[in-house]
Amino acid sequence: MLGNQALAGMGREREAFLSLCLTQTETSWREVKACFEVVDKSLPQIEESQRSRFLRLAEHLAREGSRETSVFLVSGSTALGKVKPQAQQHILDLCDALLTLSPQAVHAFLRSLDSVLSRITLAQLDTWFDKGAHLIKENPDGGLAYFRMESSTSEAALDSLSSSLELDRVSGVLMLYCRALSGADIDVTDSSELVDKGIGWVFEGHATTEGTKVYLPLIIDRYPSKAENFGWYKVVSTHQVAHIEFGSFLFAFSKPSLLFQDTRLKLEEAML
């Protein structure tokens, strides 16, 4: 019954799946049932022309000693399903290249793929991948940590490629900048928790409504370079600091004018 359900929806990839199951009977027979249970939900996430190739990759990993083929089918297909169908072939090309260097790293690479592509573009992925592949040749453990996103080398490589800028990395400099501009004891903090309140630089035209803090987004990726994104942070900070420096939040209609002739009350009376 389970076999009928799994095989009924398959096309050309059926042969590759049966070959995978045959390999499982030789390496880890308990995984056969688990593969049948997950395959009908895993394969639809992969572009049809790449399904057989993905299953063959799983079979190669099983032959290399992997005992978690069903887990790979789920996590690998999920990772591939998050990229555009036309990009899946290239991702599998990278997996095949990595397979010859370290089978363990293939699963690690796919697990990290979504996180990596949230910070760099698909075009930049090759550069990041090549650094990891070179490292794994010299230091297998270090290379595996690289693809698992557990090493400072991997983070540094991503940071050098990414145009996005995180507030945590520049908040200290921005705080000094804001204090130098205003002469006031100003703090810089993120605006994520204030979205619902409309406080901070959340929407264009809404500066902060609080007079001691500058609110900025946790990450900015509007421009193709870190320098330009840092410039955006400075512009937004300057706008908010100007409100503090020139007393926007201290203004009140009920206070008498000190710098110009006060005609507000007369105008109000005339309108009434």
Side-chain angles (χ1 to χ4, degrees):
M1 188 70 178
L2 185 61
N4 291 337
Q5 180 182 347
L7 296 174
M10 290 189 187
R12 291 175 295 178
E13 67 272 16
R14 183 182 301 176
E15 182 179 349
F17 178 68
L18 292 175
S19 178
L20 168 62
C21 291
L22 181 60
T23 297
Q24 291 292 342
T25 62
E26 301 169 357
T27 59
S28 181
W29 62 268
R30 289 184 177 87
E31 275 291 293
V32 175
K33 181 175 182 291
C35 288
F36 269 98
E37 290 174 339
V38 302
V39 70
D40 61 326
K41 295 181 179 178
S42 300
L43 289 184
Q45 301 184 73
I46 301 174
E47 205 275 323
E48 186 174 1
S49 65
Q50 300 302 316
R51 292 174 186 173
S52 295
R53 187 178 182 188
F54 174 70
L55 291 169
R56 286 195 296 271
L57 175 63
E59 183 178 359
H60 281 303
L61 292 176
R63 290 190 180 279
E64 292 292 338
S66 174
R67 294 295 183 267
E68 298 182 331
T69 302
S70 59
V71 175
F72 175 78
L73 292 179
V74 173
S75 60
S77 61
T78 299
L80 288 168
K82 291 182 178 180
V83 302
K84 295 180 179 179
Q86 57 268 32
Q88 292 181 4
Q89 179 178 350
H90 182 60
I91 299 299
L92 288 173
D93 286 342
L94 296 179
C95 288
D96 286 343
L98 195 55
L99 181 65
T100 63
L101 301 175
S102 171
Q104 281 182 293
V106 174
H107 201 177
F109 169 59
L110 287 176
R111 282 180 180 271
S112 302
L113 184 63
D114 186 46
S115 176
V116 170
L117 290 180
S118 71
R119 298 174 60 179
I120 60 176
T121 66
L122 192 63
Q124 294 170 319
L125 179 64
D126 285 358
T127 302
W128 179 82
F129 179 89
D130 288 344
K131 289 182 179 180
H134 179 74
L135 177 61
I136 213 165
K137 292 176 184 177
E138 299 181 344
N139 181 357
D141 290 338
L144 186 58
Y146 181 98
F147 285 108
R148 285 175 174 168
M149 297 287 292
E150 295 175 351
S151 75
S152 57
T153 304
S154 181
E155 283 290 336
L158 280 178
D159 190 55
S160 66
L161 291 169
S162 173
S163 61
S164 62
L165 190 61
E166 298 173 356
L167 181 60
D168 286 346
R169 294 180 177 270
V170 294
S171 58
V173 173
L174 289 172
M175 182 181 68
L176 294 175
Y177 172 75
C178 293
R179 290 181 177 183
L181 279 181
S182 65
D185 190 17
I186 294 174
D187 290 323
V188 172
T189 189
D190 74 88
S191 59
S192 58
E193 63 186 49
L194 303 175
V195 173
D196 293 335
K197 299 179 181 178
I199 298 175
W201 194 269
V202 180
F203 304 105
E204 292 184 5
H206 284 72
T208 180
T209 57
E210 197 265 20
T212 62
K213 294 180 181 179
V214 167
Y215 293 96
L216 299 168
L218 280 171
I219 189 169
I220 179 67
D221 193 20
R222 292 194 173 196
Y223 301 102
S225 71
K226 278 185 167 58
E228 291 174 298
N229 284 313
F230 181 67
W232 187 90
Y233 267 142
K234 286 180 65 179
V235 169
V236 174
S237 299
T238 303
H239 179 96
Q240 295 190 47
V241 167
H243 282 287
I244 298 172
E245 182 180 0
F246 296 106
S248 297
F249 307 115
L250 302 176
F251 179 79
F253 278 99
S254 58
K255 291 183 179 180
S257 173
L258 300 177
L259 301 178
F260 54 85
Q261 184 179 359
D262 195 343
T263 61
R264 283 172 292 174
L265 293 177
K266 292 181 179 179
L267 290 174
E268 186 177 359
E269 290 173 356
M271 291 181 66
L272 295 175

